[in-house]
Amino acid sequence: MIRYVNVKSRMRNEFIDITEKVQEVITEEGMKSGVCYIYVPHTTAGITINEGADTSVQRDIQTALTKLVPFEADYSHREGNADAHIKSTLVGVSQSVFIDEGNLLLGTWQALYFCEFDGPRHRRVAIQLIKAVTPS
Ligand code: ZN
C-alpha cells in the first residue's frame, strides 16, 4: 500500500527535512527489513539526501542550484517556473533507502529532504515499503 506524507512549504525555494515523518510510516507499518522508496509526484519539487546537522549546507545547495538555473533566463516555458522544472530534474524525484532493524539506514549526518522549487504549496510525498526477502 502506498502511504503519503504531507508537506507544506512556506517559501519558493525550501528544503524540508522529512526524515522523521518517513520513519513514522516505517514504524507504523512495522517494517523491520527492506527498502523504503520515496517518490515526489510533482514536476517542480524533488527529493534528496544530504547533511542534516548543519542547515547551512541546505542553503549552499539552494544557492548553487539557483546560480546554475536562474529564475529568469531565455526559457520557452511560459508559466514562469521553468527554473523550478529544471531544478526538479537535476535533483530528481525519488530516493530509496534501506530499512535495517526497523530504521532508515541513514548515515549519522544524513537527512531526507523534500526540495521545494516553486512554493509555497501543499505537497505530498509517496512512500512505498518493500519487504526484504530472506532465503529460508
Ligand atoms: Zn510550469
Side-chain angles (χ1 to χ4, degrees):
M1 187 179 75
I2 294 169
R3 297 275 306 262
Y4 290 93
V5 164
N6 293 309
V7 179
K8 186 179 186 298
S9 60
R10 291 178 169 78
M11 291 180 277
R12 183 156 196 276
N13 286 280
E14 184 179 6
F15 279 25
I16 298 170
D17 187 343
I18 60 166
T19 312
E20 280 184 26
K21 286 183 171 181
V22 176
Q23 179 61 53
E24 278 171 22
V25 171
I26 294 165
T27 303
E28 283 170 24
E29 295 292 328
M31 181 72 71
K32 297 298 176 199
S33 181
V35 176
C36 177
Y37 199 82
I38 306 118
Y39 175 75
V40 174
H42 302 287
T43 61
T44 56
I47 191 104
T48 195
I49 296 171
N50 214 300
E51 167 88 39
D54 182 356
T55 53
S56 65
V57 174
Q58 309 162 33
R59 285 197 299 278
D60 288 342
I61 295 169
Q62 289 179 54
T63 301
L65 283 171
T66 299
K67 274 186 190 161
L68 278 172
V69 190
F71 176 65
E72 285 190 26
D74 188 20
Y75 299 123
S76 300
H77 184 51
R78 294 290 170 210
E79 201 187 6
N81 62 355
D83 63 321
H85 289 289
I86 295 164
K87 286 176 178 177
S88 172
T89 281
L90 286 175
V91 167
V93 293
S94 69
Q95 289 287 337
S96 44
V97 181
F98 294 126
I99 302 163
D100 183 42
E101 296 181 352
N103 294 306
L104 284 167
L105 190 63
L106 291 170
T108 306
W109 308 112
Q110 285 182 317
L112 260 171
Y113 285 101
F114 172 84
C115 308
E116 178 62 78
F117 299 123
D118 195 23
R121 288 173 189 252
H122 285 94
R123 304 287 206 173
R124 62 182 195 160
V125 178
I127 313 287
Q128 177 75 277
L129 306 180
I130 299 147
K131 195 173 184 176
V133 178
T134 49
S136 51

